[in-house]
Short mmCIF file of all heavy atoms in Angstrom, two decimals:
data_model
loop_
_atom_site.label_atom_id
_atom_site.label_comp_id
_atom_site.label_asym_id
_atom_site.label_seq_id
_atom_site.Cartn_x
_atom_site.Cartn_y
_atom_site.Cartn_z
N CYS A 1 22.96 -22.23 -2.77
CA CYS A 1 22.67 -20.78 -2.97
C CYS A 1 21.68 -20.25 -2.10
O CYS A 1 20.88 -21.05 -1.36
CB CYS A 1 22.33 -20.51 -4.40
SG CYS A 1 20.78 -21.20 -4.92
N HIS A 2 21.43 -19.05 -2.05
CA HIS A 2 20.40 -18.30 -1.38
C HIS A 2 19.97 -17.07 -2.18
O HIS A 2 20.84 -16.43 -2.88
CB HIS A 2 20.88 -17.80 0.00
CG HIS A 2 19.97 -16.87 0.70
ND1 HIS A 2 20.10 -15.51 0.65
CD2 HIS A 2 18.90 -17.18 1.52
CE1 HIS A 2 19.18 -14.94 1.37
NE2 HIS A 2 18.44 -15.93 1.96
N ILE A 3 18.76 -16.78 -2.20
CA ILE A 3 18.26 -15.62 -2.95
C ILE A 3 17.73 -14.50 -2.08
O ILE A 3 16.94 -14.71 -1.24
CB ILE A 3 17.13 -16.02 -3.96
CG1 ILE A 3 17.59 -17.04 -4.98
CG2 ILE A 3 16.51 -14.79 -4.68
CD1 ILE A 3 16.58 -17.45 -5.92
N ASN A 4 18.23 -13.24 -2.27
CA ASN A 4 17.67 -12.04 -1.68
C ASN A 4 16.84 -11.40 -2.58
O ASN A 4 17.25 -10.98 -3.69
CB ASN A 4 18.86 -11.11 -1.26
CG ASN A 4 19.49 -11.40 0.08
OD1 ASN A 4 18.81 -11.61 1.02
ND2 ASN A 4 20.84 -11.51 0.10
N LEU A 5 15.46 -11.32 -2.29
CA LEU A 5 14.51 -10.61 -3.07
C LEU A 5 14.49 -9.25 -2.62
O LEU A 5 14.33 -8.88 -1.49
CB LEU A 5 13.15 -11.27 -2.93
CG LEU A 5 13.11 -12.82 -3.42
CD1 LEU A 5 11.73 -13.30 -3.07
CD2 LEU A 5 13.40 -12.94 -4.90
N ILE A 6 14.60 -8.25 -3.55
CA ILE A 6 14.77 -6.84 -3.34
C ILE A 6 13.66 -6.05 -4.08
O ILE A 6 13.73 -6.00 -5.26
CB ILE A 6 16.13 -6.28 -3.68
CG1 ILE A 6 17.23 -7.18 -3.09
CG2 ILE A 6 16.26 -4.84 -3.30
CD1 ILE A 6 18.65 -6.86 -3.65
N PRO A 7 12.67 -5.49 -3.39
CA PRO A 7 11.74 -4.61 -4.07
C PRO A 7 12.49 -3.45 -4.68
O PRO A 7 13.27 -2.81 -4.03
CB PRO A 7 10.75 -4.15 -3.00
CG PRO A 7 10.92 -5.21 -1.88
CD PRO A 7 12.34 -5.69 -1.94
N VAL A 8 12.28 -3.16 -5.94
CA VAL A 8 13.06 -2.17 -6.59
C VAL A 8 12.82 -0.78 -5.94
O VAL A 8 11.73 -0.47 -5.53
CB VAL A 8 12.66 -2.07 -8.13
CG1 VAL A 8 11.30 -1.43 -8.33
CG2 VAL A 8 13.81 -1.21 -8.88
N ASN A 9 13.98 -0.07 -5.71
CA ASN A 9 13.93 1.19 -5.05
C ASN A 9 13.80 2.26 -6.09
O ASN A 9 14.31 2.12 -7.15
CB ASN A 9 15.15 1.41 -4.13
CG ASN A 9 15.18 0.42 -2.95
OD1 ASN A 9 14.22 0.45 -2.17
ND2 ASN A 9 16.11 -0.40 -2.84
N ASP A 10 13.26 3.39 -5.67
CA ASP A 10 12.99 4.46 -6.57
C ASP A 10 14.21 5.12 -7.02
O ASP A 10 15.02 5.59 -6.22
CB ASP A 10 12.02 5.51 -5.93
CG ASP A 10 11.70 6.67 -6.84
OD1 ASP A 10 11.17 6.38 -7.88
OD2 ASP A 10 11.97 7.84 -6.50
N VAL A 11 14.33 5.24 -8.35
CA VAL A 11 15.42 6.11 -9.00
C VAL A 11 14.61 6.89 -10.09
O VAL A 11 14.16 6.31 -11.06
CB VAL A 11 16.49 5.22 -9.69
CG1 VAL A 11 17.47 6.07 -10.42
CG2 VAL A 11 17.17 4.36 -8.67
N LYS A 12 14.50 8.14 -9.82
CA LYS A 12 13.53 8.93 -10.57
C LYS A 12 13.79 8.89 -12.09
O LYS A 12 12.88 9.01 -12.91
CB LYS A 12 13.52 10.43 -10.13
CG LYS A 12 14.90 11.14 -10.31
CD LYS A 12 14.81 12.54 -9.69
CE LYS A 12 16.13 13.28 -9.89
NZ LYS A 12 16.08 14.68 -9.42
N GLU A 13 15.05 8.80 -12.49
CA GLU A 13 15.37 8.72 -13.95
C GLU A 13 15.01 7.44 -14.64
O GLU A 13 14.96 7.34 -15.83
CB GLU A 13 16.86 9.03 -14.15
CG GLU A 13 17.32 10.34 -13.70
CD GLU A 13 17.84 10.41 -12.29
OE1 GLU A 13 17.50 9.49 -11.52
OE2 GLU A 13 18.58 11.27 -11.95
N ARG A 14 14.77 6.40 -13.81
CA ARG A 14 14.53 5.07 -14.34
C ARG A 14 13.11 4.68 -14.55
O ARG A 14 12.74 4.00 -15.56
CB ARG A 14 15.15 4.00 -13.42
CG ARG A 14 16.70 4.06 -13.29
CD ARG A 14 17.41 4.02 -14.54
NE ARG A 14 18.80 3.73 -14.49
CZ ARG A 14 19.67 3.68 -15.48
NH1 ARG A 14 19.15 3.93 -16.70
NH2 ARG A 14 20.94 3.44 -15.29
N GLY A 15 12.23 5.12 -13.70
CA GLY A 15 10.77 4.88 -13.90
C GLY A 15 10.29 3.49 -13.66
O GLY A 15 9.18 3.05 -14.08
N ASN A 16 11.18 2.67 -12.98
CA ASN A 16 10.75 1.31 -12.60
C ASN A 16 9.68 1.39 -11.44
O ASN A 16 9.80 2.29 -10.63
CB ASN A 16 11.94 0.53 -12.12
CG ASN A 16 12.85 0.20 -13.33
OD1 ASN A 16 12.51 -0.18 -14.42
ND2 ASN A 16 14.16 0.44 -13.07
N ILE A 17 8.76 0.43 -11.49
CA ILE A 17 7.69 0.41 -10.53
C ILE A 17 7.91 -0.84 -9.57
O ILE A 17 8.07 -1.97 -10.01
CB ILE A 17 6.31 0.34 -11.22
CG1 ILE A 17 6.15 1.53 -12.04
CG2 ILE A 17 5.22 0.27 -10.13
CD1 ILE A 17 4.84 1.58 -12.86
N ARG A 18 7.73 -0.60 -8.32
CA ARG A 18 7.93 -1.67 -7.28
C ARG A 18 6.84 -2.60 -7.43
O ARG A 18 5.67 -2.24 -7.59
CB ARG A 18 7.98 -0.91 -5.89
CG ARG A 18 8.13 -1.91 -4.73
CD ARG A 18 7.91 -1.13 -3.40
NE ARG A 18 8.33 -1.89 -2.30
CZ ARG A 18 7.56 -2.83 -1.69
NH1 ARG A 18 6.25 -3.05 -2.22
NH2 ARG A 18 7.90 -3.37 -0.57
N SER A 19 7.17 -3.90 -7.37
CA SER A 19 6.15 -4.91 -7.25
C SER A 19 5.37 -4.83 -6.00
O SER A 19 5.90 -4.34 -4.94
CB SER A 19 6.82 -6.39 -7.33
OG SER A 19 7.64 -6.44 -8.50
N SER A 20 4.09 -5.20 -6.04
CA SER A 20 3.25 -5.18 -4.83
C SER A 20 3.70 -6.15 -3.77
O SER A 20 4.45 -7.14 -4.13
CB SER A 20 1.89 -5.45 -5.22
OG SER A 20 1.65 -6.89 -5.59
N ASN A 21 3.39 -5.97 -2.56
CA ASN A 21 3.75 -6.85 -1.43
C ASN A 21 3.22 -8.25 -1.72
O ASN A 21 3.88 -9.27 -1.51
CB ASN A 21 3.23 -6.27 -0.13
CG ASN A 21 4.01 -5.07 0.40
OD1 ASN A 21 5.16 -4.79 -0.13
ND2 ASN A 21 3.34 -4.30 1.25
N GLU A 22 1.99 -8.29 -2.29
CA GLU A 22 1.45 -9.59 -2.63
C GLU A 22 2.18 -10.33 -3.61
O GLU A 22 2.50 -11.51 -3.55
CB GLU A 22 -0.07 -9.37 -3.04
CG GLU A 22 -0.79 -10.69 -3.39
CD GLU A 22 -2.15 -10.47 -3.94
OE1 GLU A 22 -2.57 -9.23 -4.12
OE2 GLU A 22 -2.89 -11.48 -4.16
N THR A 23 2.67 -9.59 -4.63
CA THR A 23 3.40 -10.22 -5.77
C THR A 23 4.68 -10.76 -5.22
O THR A 23 5.17 -11.78 -5.54
CB THR A 23 3.59 -9.25 -6.90
OG1 THR A 23 2.37 -8.93 -7.48
CG2 THR A 23 4.53 -9.81 -8.00
N ILE A 24 5.40 -9.89 -4.34
CA ILE A 24 6.70 -10.26 -3.80
C ILE A 24 6.56 -11.52 -2.92
O ILE A 24 7.36 -12.45 -3.03
CB ILE A 24 7.27 -9.07 -3.00
CG1 ILE A 24 7.53 -7.91 -3.88
CG2 ILE A 24 8.51 -9.54 -2.20
CD1 ILE A 24 7.89 -6.62 -3.10
N LEU A 25 5.54 -11.57 -2.15
CA LEU A 25 5.30 -12.73 -1.30
C LEU A 25 4.99 -14.02 -2.15
O LEU A 25 5.57 -15.18 -1.78
CB LEU A 25 4.19 -12.49 -0.31
CG LEU A 25 3.88 -13.56 0.75
CD1 LEU A 25 5.14 -13.70 1.63
CD2 LEU A 25 2.68 -13.19 1.64
N LYS A 26 4.24 -13.92 -3.16
CA LYS A 26 3.94 -14.99 -4.07
C LYS A 26 5.29 -15.58 -4.70
O LYS A 26 5.47 -16.77 -4.77
CB LYS A 26 2.97 -14.68 -5.13
CG LYS A 26 1.57 -14.50 -4.70
CD LYS A 26 0.54 -14.22 -5.79
CE LYS A 26 -0.83 -14.18 -5.42
NZ LYS A 26 -1.77 -13.75 -6.53
N PHE A 27 6.05 -14.59 -5.13
CA PHE A 27 7.37 -14.92 -5.77
C PHE A 27 8.16 -15.81 -4.81
O PHE A 27 8.74 -16.73 -5.18
CB PHE A 27 8.08 -13.62 -6.24
CG PHE A 27 9.11 -13.88 -7.22
CD1 PHE A 27 8.89 -13.65 -8.60
CD2 PHE A 27 10.37 -14.26 -6.87
CE1 PHE A 27 9.91 -13.87 -9.52
CE2 PHE A 27 11.40 -14.45 -7.82
CZ PHE A 27 11.20 -14.25 -9.15
N SER A 28 8.28 -15.23 -3.57
CA SER A 28 9.07 -15.88 -2.59
C SER A 28 8.59 -17.28 -2.28
O SER A 28 9.36 -18.27 -2.13
CB SER A 28 9.10 -15.07 -1.27
OG SER A 28 9.78 -15.68 -0.25
N ASN A 29 7.28 -17.43 -2.17
CA ASN A 29 6.63 -18.66 -1.76
C ASN A 29 6.86 -19.82 -2.92
O ASN A 29 7.03 -20.91 -2.68
CB ASN A 29 5.19 -18.51 -1.50
CG ASN A 29 4.91 -17.84 -0.19
OD1 ASN A 29 5.74 -17.86 0.69
ND2 ASN A 29 3.69 -17.25 -0.06
N VAL A 30 6.88 -19.34 -4.17
CA VAL A 30 7.12 -20.26 -5.24
C VAL A 30 8.55 -20.81 -5.19
O VAL A 30 8.71 -21.97 -5.32
CB VAL A 30 6.94 -19.49 -6.65
CG1 VAL A 30 7.45 -20.39 -7.79
CG2 VAL A 30 5.47 -19.25 -6.84
N LEU A 31 9.52 -19.94 -4.88
CA LEU A 31 10.87 -20.36 -4.74
C LEU A 31 10.98 -21.35 -3.61
O LEU A 31 11.66 -22.41 -3.78
CB LEU A 31 11.83 -19.16 -4.50
CG LEU A 31 11.93 -18.14 -5.63
CD1 LEU A 31 12.82 -16.94 -5.12
CD2 LEU A 31 12.58 -18.86 -6.88
N LYS A 32 10.42 -21.06 -2.48
CA LYS A 32 10.52 -21.93 -1.30
C LYS A 32 9.86 -23.27 -1.52
O LYS A 32 10.41 -24.31 -1.14
CB LYS A 32 9.92 -21.24 -0.10
CG LYS A 32 10.69 -20.03 0.41
CD LYS A 32 10.04 -19.34 1.51
CE LYS A 32 10.80 -18.08 1.96
NZ LYS A 32 10.10 -17.33 3.01
N ARG A 33 8.68 -23.23 -2.17
CA ARG A 33 8.06 -24.48 -2.49
C ARG A 33 8.83 -25.41 -3.39
O ARG A 33 8.63 -26.66 -3.48
CB ARG A 33 6.64 -24.30 -3.15
CG ARG A 33 5.50 -23.83 -2.15
CD ARG A 33 4.24 -24.05 -2.81
NE ARG A 33 4.01 -23.30 -4.00
CZ ARG A 33 3.57 -22.03 -4.14
NH1 ARG A 33 3.22 -21.32 -3.06
NH2 ARG A 33 3.37 -21.50 -5.31
N ASN A 34 9.76 -24.82 -4.21
CA ASN A 34 10.58 -25.54 -5.13
C ASN A 34 11.99 -25.72 -4.61
O ASN A 34 12.94 -25.97 -5.36
CB ASN A 34 10.59 -24.76 -6.41
CG ASN A 34 9.34 -25.07 -7.24
OD1 ASN A 34 9.12 -26.04 -7.95
ND2 ASN A 34 8.36 -24.05 -6.99
N GLY A 35 12.13 -25.57 -3.24
CA GLY A 35 13.42 -25.88 -2.54
C GLY A 35 14.45 -24.84 -2.71
O GLY A 35 15.68 -25.19 -2.35
N ILE A 36 14.18 -23.62 -2.97
CA ILE A 36 15.13 -22.67 -3.02
C ILE A 36 15.00 -21.76 -1.83
O ILE A 36 13.95 -21.15 -1.54
CB ILE A 36 14.97 -21.76 -4.35
CG1 ILE A 36 14.99 -22.59 -5.56
CG2 ILE A 36 16.07 -20.64 -4.35
CD1 ILE A 36 16.33 -23.35 -5.76
N ASN A 37 16.11 -21.53 -1.07
CA ASN A 37 16.10 -20.66 0.06
C ASN A 37 16.09 -19.18 -0.33
O ASN A 37 16.90 -18.68 -1.04
CB ASN A 37 17.45 -20.95 0.85
CG ASN A 37 17.45 -20.19 2.16
OD1 ASN A 37 16.51 -19.63 2.60
ND2 ASN A 37 18.62 -20.33 2.89
N ALA A 38 15.02 -18.47 0.15
CA ALA A 38 14.82 -17.11 -0.30
C ALA A 38 14.36 -16.25 0.90
O ALA A 38 13.60 -16.78 1.69
CB ALA A 38 13.88 -16.99 -1.39
N THR A 39 14.82 -14.99 0.90
CA THR A 39 14.40 -14.03 1.86
C THR A 39 14.04 -12.71 1.21
O THR A 39 14.61 -12.46 0.13
CB THR A 39 15.41 -13.72 2.98
OG1 THR A 39 16.66 -13.36 2.36
CG2 THR A 39 15.62 -14.98 3.84
N ILE A 40 13.17 -12.00 1.76
CA ILE A 40 12.80 -10.65 1.28
C ILE A 40 13.59 -9.56 2.03
O ILE A 40 13.47 -9.49 3.23
CB ILE A 40 11.30 -10.31 1.38
CG1 ILE A 40 10.48 -11.34 0.63
CG2 ILE A 40 10.99 -8.95 0.83
CD1 ILE A 40 8.98 -11.35 0.83
N ARG A 41 14.48 -8.83 1.34
CA ARG A 41 15.38 -7.94 2.05
C ARG A 41 14.63 -6.76 2.59
O ARG A 41 13.80 -6.17 1.86
CB ARG A 41 16.43 -7.41 1.13
CG ARG A 41 17.46 -6.51 1.76
CD ARG A 41 18.60 -6.11 0.77
NE ARG A 41 19.42 -7.20 0.55
CZ ARG A 41 20.45 -7.08 -0.36
NH1 ARG A 41 20.72 -6.00 -1.02
NH2 ARG A 41 21.24 -8.15 -0.56
N ARG A 42 14.96 -6.41 3.84
CA ARG A 42 14.42 -5.19 4.47
C ARG A 42 15.02 -3.95 3.88
O ARG A 42 16.25 -3.86 3.73
CB ARG A 42 14.67 -5.33 5.93
CG ARG A 42 14.11 -4.18 6.81
CD ARG A 42 14.16 -4.52 8.32
NE ARG A 42 15.48 -4.79 8.79
CZ ARG A 42 16.19 -3.91 9.57
NH1 ARG A 42 15.68 -2.75 9.89
NH2 ARG A 42 17.40 -4.24 9.95
N THR A 43 14.22 -2.97 3.54
CA THR A 43 14.70 -1.66 3.03
C THR A 43 15.17 -0.81 4.11
O THR A 43 14.41 -0.53 5.04
CB THR A 43 13.61 -1.08 2.14
OG1 THR A 43 13.21 -1.86 1.12
CG2 THR A 43 14.11 0.21 1.63
N LEU A 44 16.38 -0.35 3.97
CA LEU A 44 16.96 0.63 4.94
C LEU A 44 17.39 1.96 4.33
O LEU A 44 17.78 1.94 3.05
CB LEU A 44 18.26 0.03 5.63
CG LEU A 44 18.01 -1.21 6.54
CD1 LEU A 44 19.34 -1.77 7.01
CD2 LEU A 44 17.08 -1.02 7.68
#
């Protein structure tokens, strides 16, 4: 498998808050250290 990490995008009705860049990077590094292939998706 492979994991695409996606910072949540704004949907005004939902009110979800995007994780910080630091948190996203830490999350990715934990996965990689444990043998899981992960990338952070670029927002377009």
Side-chain angles (χ1 to χ4, degrees):
C1 69
H2 171 265
I3 297 181
N4 274 312
L5 298 175
I6 308 169
V8 70
N9 292 301
D10 180 55
V11 176
K12 63 181 180 180
E13 297 92 338
R14 295 304 194 185
N16 293 312
I17 301 174
R18 182 188 188 277
S19 301
S20 68
N21 290 338
E22 181 182 4
T23 297
I24 294 168
L25 187 59
K26 284 182 179 179
F27 198 99
S28 177
N29 289 337
V30 169
L31 293 175
K32 291 175 181 178
R33 285 198 302 270
N34 285 274
I36 304 298
N37 187 5
T39 55
I40 300 171
R41 181 177 292 176
R42 182 165 60 106
T43 298
L44 296 175

